[in-house]
Amino acid sequence: MNFDYLNKMITYIENNLDNKIDYNELSKITKTNIFILERIFMFLTDMTITEYIRKRRLSKAFEEIRNTNLKILI
């Protein structure tokens, strides 16, 4: 797999963290099916694409909370 495709996939994910990530779009970007893509991503990062997206969303939320004076109510 071409690493340029993987970089484009990461860029797509980063630009859409606030939206629903379309796995079919990830397949189109990388020019491979989602099953193979998941296997390659897991091999390279030791996490699934879903785990990566979840961690990025959590870290983005943390940064937003840390950089504002807003209070969190539970």
Side-chain angles (χ1 to χ4, degrees):
M1 167 163 296
N2 186 330
F3 284 106
D4 289 335
Y5 294 150
L6 288 174
N7 286 330
K8 289 178 184 177
M9 181 188 85
I10 297 298
T11 300
Y12 169 81
I13 291 171
E14 293 296 321
N15 291 335
N16 290 285
L17 284 174
D18 294 334
N19 305 314
K20 184 176 186 289
I21 303 295
D22 183 0
Y23 284 79
N24 291 324
E25 186 64 27
L26 298 180
S27 291
K28 289 178 189 175
I29 291 168
T30 57
K31 300 184 185 332
T32 188
N33 70 48
I34 194 64
F35 176 76
I36 300 298
L37 179 57
E38 282 279 2
R39 302 276 311 243
I40 293 169
F41 195 86
M42 175 65 102
F43 176 77
L44 293 173
T45 64
D46 202 30
M47 71 177 82
T48 66
I49 295 171
T50 304
E51 287 175 301
Y52 174 78
I53 293 168
R54 185 179 319 114
K55 287 181 180 187
R56 284 298 300 126
R57 285 177 172 159
L58 285 170
S59 63
K60 183 178 176 185
F62 173 76
E63 286 300 318
E64 288 177 10
I65 291 168
R66 191 171 78 169
N67 294 324
T68 65
N69 292 327
L70 299 175
K71 293 186 167 90
I72 300 174
L73 300 176
I74 298 177

